[in-house]
């Protein structure tokens, strides 16, 4: 496209045509680009300006471009052009900073602040000395701009310069410096901040910095700010107080301060907690928890539901203790149908349970909090009967902490609920209860139907109840019509111990479902692994290895790796390392390796001749690790007809890196028929040559 | 038609069949494949019944005629699965609780006490119902053992196997209706719980029982049972050819602990099949026993 055509497009009415003109610009002679780029940067449509910035950032930088951009920054008329030029200079970064520093020195007073802004945008720390000087200059606009630029650039040198400005006579500059330091999250000592607080303008800016001091004296000014009528000020103070409370020294002082909180500050915080949002609301919630204000509890529940309850708030509620739990329970009971009722109940329950590690034990014994615990359990049991599934689930989940032996039956019934959330809650509660009283859970599970989805979960619980009864129940579960339940029963059985466990699981290898057989074979492997094998178990796995279902065969081969040394197992694995499906052949080799079988060598020899690449690769990799020190086998594999096998052989020989291996690879390089492989080998050998 | 796994009850239902026609050559092929697969010998006169039962299967598979079906059955892999299905369709599995009462009473009164003595050291007892069909025999044996009171606190297993997945599903469920109870003693009702679908075997009994799926000619799968102390294989072998019977008897011998019992149907014996077992004379019945150093003591002999 000719320059004139670009110009015509730049003058077009439609923004899209002008954007296309920008795209076409890059093909012009460089000397033709700059004026048109500048025109585009000053376009009335943001899309054209953005395209121009993108194009400009990729141009070769020369004086003409920088000069034009600086001129655009310094001009007072077109704000859009200035901003686009500032952004482009920022994108050019350090490449533009020298020119900008020179430009600053020569700039008109009215243009200097814009140049300073451009310097800040480059982020180049080489500008800090100049900016430090300007920051204490007599021109307030220049100085404020430099202070802001220092804050944006950051670093120790900039921080030192800004700290010096804090001692300035000019309040406006002190405020700017404090703001810049705040932006850098610099922690200033109380002693440096304290003299600044008397000035109202600076005081507002100092609030965040006060939170970082960790100084007890910072509490009072922050509390006074809380009582301010400005919500913004109160929000900043709340955030700062939370930060102070998280510090070692400030925590106690904030706690004391919050317990003596005045009415105005309390009202402001309630407003923030209940009506505000984001950080400010979270900070207000935390502080009101520290103030033990029951009015905050709905907001606490809201935060908890959104997983936004700050650590400090959680700690504060725990410190609040049973009174908070009691207050939550009261809040729940005022309207059990309220949307947040389930969360309120659960939070109260969790809080009570977390008050001390021995809370549950203590509660059983009617220790401190006993009356409350009775009331809480009553509420939970009533909620478990609710028609609202959400409330039912919340109460049932809470029963993980509070269920007593007598609750087991109800929990087992709920485990069969049609609501997945309630089922899961019942599972959690029963899993916890079984640790406290396995007999009660065992009794509750006695007549329960193990068919269906909940059956799988219940068999897990039965296993946890342990003992003979559990074994009998699980064996009965093997009669379930649903293979998934039978599988779950086998997994559960495998948690128990004893010879008959292995026998029952071995029998499951006769199951008509190959899924169940698979689980049984895996479970038997688990028993072998933990040293609970037997002759029957071993024979069963050998039969399974010989069976018709490939996955079961594979599971059996995996399991047999744990069998005690014996030629029968080695013979079988060696046989299937040759005669099985490809996956089984690989697994059988693995098992022979794991068993350090004397038949491994012969099996590997055969595997190297295998028609399936993955088996050959397995054999080669095994050879490389376990085989003899002689690399002949790997070298021979360089002649394999499949390139993927040769690739493995090459990798292994390269890894080996001894003289014989390398000589073979050098010799093979020219013979390699696969171009990619030959190239790769050549590169690797060249690399090795450079290394030597 | 046939009930090779059910302890008797051969039924042949002949109706006019308008479906695909099974030619003599095709019948012979199916007969031989079934025999090779599970040892069941289809009599020549059962051709029409085979045609009717398998004709429905042809519809399900979308096959036009038996020639296509025979081709499917002859395939490696897929053919085995279909053979299993065919055998399932060709066999009727009619059985009931407490079938052949005198033999079961002899088992209860004479064999179980012997087994208690035989197994006293290990305190475990395993009984196998070979060809258990829908499970009534397995539960009958389990109830007998439970009621005997001889094995309280022991590890008792009653295992049933069948080649039909369909019957095993019923067996596992353990819920039965009217005809299954036609010979059951009155006092046994306590072992069942009424459900909307029928009567379910009580949990205590069910916990003793286990079911598995395998072909009685598959000696490898049979080995999964480990050692057993008594085997019930009633009215099964009558459908097998001699070779299959010998193989089965050999498997039984392998699996039985010395001194263990083999109970066959009334019309069955080991004559011409095996001399490895010894006869055990029971009151009103005969059983076979794997020889052991512990002699069989008939009831009242001491």
């Amino acid at each position: 496209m000719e320059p004139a055509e670009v110009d015509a497009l730049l003058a077009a009415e439609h923004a899209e045509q002008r954007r296309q003109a920008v795209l076409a610009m890059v093909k012009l002679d460089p000397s033709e680009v700059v004026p048109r780029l500048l025109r585009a940067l000053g376009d009335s449509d943001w899309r054209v300006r953005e395209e121009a910035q993108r194009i400009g950032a990729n141009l070769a930088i020369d004086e003409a471009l920088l000069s034009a951009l600086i001129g655009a920054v310094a001009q007072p008329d077109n704000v859009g052009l200035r901003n686009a030029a500032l952004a482009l200079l920022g994108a050019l970064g350090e490449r533009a900073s020298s020119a900008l520093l020179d430009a600053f020195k020569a700039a008109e007073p009215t243009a200097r602040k814009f140049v300073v802004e451009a310097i800040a945008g480059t982020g180049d720390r080489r500008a800090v000395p100049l900016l430090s000087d300007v920051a204490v200059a007599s021109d307030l606009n220049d100085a404020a701009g430099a202070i802001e630029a220092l804050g944006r650039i950051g670093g120790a040198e900039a921080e030192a310069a800004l700290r010096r400005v804090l001692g300035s006579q000019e309040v406006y500059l002190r405020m700017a410096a404090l703001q810049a330091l705040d932006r850098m999250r610099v922690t200033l000592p109380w002693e440096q901040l304290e003299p600044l607080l008397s000035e109202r303008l600076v005081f507002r800016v100092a609030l965040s910095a006060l939170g970082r001091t960790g100084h007890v004296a910072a509490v009072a000014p922050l509390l006074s700010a809380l009582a301010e009528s400005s919500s913004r000020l109160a929000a900043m103070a709340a955030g700062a107080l939370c930060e102070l409370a998280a510090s070692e020294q400030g925590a106690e002082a904030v706690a004391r301060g919050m317990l003596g909180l005045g009415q105005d500050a309390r009202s402001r915080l309630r407003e923030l907690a209940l009506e505000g949002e984001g950080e400010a609301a979270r900070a207000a919630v935390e502080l009101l928890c520290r103030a033990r204000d029951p009015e905050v509890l709905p907001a606490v529940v809201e935060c908890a539901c959104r997983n936004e309850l700050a650590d400090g708030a959680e700690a504060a509620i725990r410190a609040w203790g049973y009174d908070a739990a009691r207050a939550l329970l009261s809040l729940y009971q005022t309207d059990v149908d309220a949307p947040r009722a389930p969360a309120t109940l659960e939070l109260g329950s969790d809080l009570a349970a977390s008050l001390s590690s021995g809370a549950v034990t203590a509660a059983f014994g009617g220790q401190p909090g006993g009356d409350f615990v009775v009331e809480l359990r009553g509420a939970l049991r009533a909620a478990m009967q609710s028609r609202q599934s959400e409330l039912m689930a919340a109460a049932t989940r809470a029963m993980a902490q509070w269920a007593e032996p007598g609750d087991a039956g109800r929990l087992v019934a709920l485990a069969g609920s049609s609501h997945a959330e309630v089922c899961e809650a019942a599972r959690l509660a029963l899993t916890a209860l079984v640790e406290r009283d396995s007999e009660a859970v065992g009794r509750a599970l006695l007549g329960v139907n193990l068919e269906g989805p909940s059956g799988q979960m219940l068999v897990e619980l039965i296993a946890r109840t342990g003992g003979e009864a559990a074994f009998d129940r699980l064996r009965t579960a093997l009669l379930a019509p649903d293979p998934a339940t039978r599988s779950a029963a086998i997994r559960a059985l495998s948690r128990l111990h004893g010879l008959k466990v292995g026998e029952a699981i071995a029998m499951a290898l006769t199951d008509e479902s190959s899924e169940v057989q698979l689980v049984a074979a895996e479970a038997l492997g688990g028993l072998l692994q933990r040293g609970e094998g037997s002759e029957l178990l071993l024979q069963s796995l050998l039969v399974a290895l010989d069976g018709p279902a490939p996955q079961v065969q594979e599971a059996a081969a995996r399991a047999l790796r744990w069998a005690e040394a014996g030629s029968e197992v080695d013979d079988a694995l060696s046989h299937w390392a040759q005669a099985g499906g490809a996956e089984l052949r690989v697994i059988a080799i693995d098992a022979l390796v794991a068993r350090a079988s004397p038949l491994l060598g012969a099996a590997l020899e055969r595997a190297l001749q295998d028609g399936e690449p993955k088996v050959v690769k397995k054999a080669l990799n095994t050879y490389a690790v376990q085989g003899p020190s002689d690399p002949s086998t790997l070298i021979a594999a360089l002649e394999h007809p499949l390139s993927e096998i040769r690739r493995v052989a090459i990798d292994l020989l390269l890894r080996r890196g001894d003289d014989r291996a390398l000589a073979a690879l050098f010799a093979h390089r020219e013979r390699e028929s696969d171009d990619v492989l030959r190239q790769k080998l050549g590169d690797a050998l060249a690399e090795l040559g450079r290394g030597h | 038609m046939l009930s090779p796994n059910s302890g008797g009850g051969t039924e042949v239902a002949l109706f006019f069949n308008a479906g695909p026609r099974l030619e003599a050559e095709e019948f012979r092929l199916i007969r031989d494949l079934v025999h090779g697969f599970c040892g069941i010998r289809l009599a020549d006169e059962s051709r029409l019944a085979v045609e009717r039962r398998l004709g429905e299967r042809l519809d399900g598979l979308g096959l036009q005629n038996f020639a296509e079906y025979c081709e499917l059955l002859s395939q490696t892999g897929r053919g085995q699965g279909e053979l299993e299905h065919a055998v399932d369709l060709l066999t009727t599995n009619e059985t009931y609780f407490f079938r052949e009462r005198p033999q079961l009473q002899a088992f209860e009164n004479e064999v179980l006490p012997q087994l208690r003595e035989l197994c006293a050291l290990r305190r475990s007892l395993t009984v196998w119902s070979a060809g258990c069909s829908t499970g009534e025999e397995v539960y009958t044996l389990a109830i007998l053992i439970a009621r005997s009171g001889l094995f309280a606190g022991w590890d008792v297993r009653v295992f049933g196997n069948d080649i039909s997945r369909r019957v095993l599903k019923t067996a596992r469920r353990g819920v039965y209706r009217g005809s299954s109870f036609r010979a059951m003693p009155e006092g046994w009702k306590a072992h069942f719980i009424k459900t909307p679908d029928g009567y379910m075997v009580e949990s205590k009994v069910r916990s003793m029982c286990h079911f598995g799926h395998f072909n009685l000619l598959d000696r490898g799968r049979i080995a999964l049972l480990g050692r057993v102390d008594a085997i019930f294989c009633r009215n099964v072998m009558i459908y097998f050819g001699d070779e299959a019977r010998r193989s089965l008897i050999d498997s039984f011998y392998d699996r039985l602990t010395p001194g263990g019992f083999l109970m066959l149907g009334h019309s069955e014996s080991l004559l011409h099949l095996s001399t490895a077992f010894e006869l055990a004379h029971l009151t009103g019945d005969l059983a076979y026993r794997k020889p052991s150093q512990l002699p069989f003591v008939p009831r009242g002999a001491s």
Side-chain angles (χ1 to χ4, degrees), chain A residues 32 79 107 122 146 160 248 317 353 368 370 406 485 516 651:
Chain A
E32 305 273 12
V79 177
T122 66
E248 204 174 322
I317 293 178
T485 302
V516 178
D651 283 344

Side-chain angles (χ1 to χ4, degrees), chain A residues 405 432-443:
Chain A
L433 182 58
V434 83
E435 297 298 324
R436 303 199 287 272
D437 193 333
S438 62
E439 277 185 30
V441 177
R443 275 195 305 275

Side-chain angles (χ1 to χ4, degrees), chain A residues 345-358:
Chain A
L345 178 61
E346 200 170 355
L347 191 65
S349 155
D350 286 354
L351 173 59
S354 71
L355 289 175
S356 78
S357 58

Side-chain angles (χ1 to χ4, degrees), chain A residues 608 620 623-624 627-638 649-650 652-665:
Chain A
L608 286 170
L620 281 176
Y623 246 107
S629 55
D630 179 6
S632 304
T633 304
L634 298 178
I635 292 171
L638 291 172
I650 287 170
L652 293 170
L653 285 166
L654 281 170
R655 215 175 298 163
R656 220 182 140 96
D658 58 25
D659 290 346
R660 244 191 104 188
L662 293 179
L665 288 171

Side-chain angles (χ1 to χ4, degrees), chain A residues 121-141:
Chain A
T122 66
D124 190 347
R125 291 192 178 178
R126 286 176 301 177
V128 169
L130 172 71
L131 293 172
S132 302
D133 290 343
V134 180
V136 290
S138 54
D139 187 311
L140 275 186
N141 281 328

Side-chain angles (χ1 to χ4, degrees), chain A residues 106-313:
Chain A
E108 291 294 320
T110 52
R112 281 209 293 265
K113 65 177 179 180
F114 299 124
V115 179
V116 164
E117 192 179 345
I119 292 171
T122 66
D124 190 347
R125 291 192 178 178
R126 286 176 301 177
V128 169
L130 172 71
L131 293 172
S132 302
D133 290 343
V134 180
V136 290
S138 54
D139 187 311
L140 275 186
N141 281 328
D142 285 356
I147 288 168
E148 193 187 334
L150 285 167
R152 284 174 68 185
I153 292 173
E157 216 182 328
E159 182 187 326
L162 289 169
R163 282 175 186 262
R164 282 195 297 275
V165 181
L166 286 179
S168 163
Q169 296 295 312
E170 181 53 58
V171 66
Y172 182 64
L173 295 186
R174 290 200 298 275
M175 193 173 79
L178 200 53
Q179 238 163 4
L181 287 164
D182 201 42
R183 181 182 188 144
M184 293 164 66
R185 304 287 297 165
V186 169
T187 299
L188 294 169
W190 162 255
E191 291 72 18
Q192 197 166 8
L193 284 172
E194 200 262 338
L196 303 173
L197 300 179
S198 55
E199 290 157 321
R200 188 160 177 77
L201 276 176
V202 184
F203 175 72
R204 286 166 168 256
V205 179
L207 289 177
S208 307
L210 283 172
R212 285 194 296 276
T213 59
H215 199 283
V216 292
V219 174
L222 287 171
L223 284 175
S224 74
L226 269 188
E228 290 275 347
S229 58
S230 158
S231 294
R232 186 171 142 66
L233 214 58
M236 286 172 66
L241 276 165
C242 287
E243 194 163 4
L244 198 58
S247 69
E248 204 174 322
Q249 290 183 336
E252 204 182 318
V254 173
R256 269 200 310 274
M258 293 320 296
L259 288 175
L261 193 66
Q263 199 51 48
D264 286 346
R266 189 179 294 268
S267 301
R268 185 71 61 228
L269 282 175
R270 283 177 181 170
E271 206 175 287
L272 280 174
L274 300 172
E275 293 163 26
E277 52 189 29
E279 283 298 328
R282 284 194 287 276
V285 166
E286 178 180 334
L287 291 176
L288 285 170
C289 286
R290 291 181 188 280
R292 302 185 179 182
D293 185 340
E295 296 284 321
V296 78
L297 290 176
V300 167
V301 175
E302 281 292 334
C303 282
C305 288
R306 292 195 303 261
N307 274 332
E308 287 178 358
L309 200 58
D311 291 348

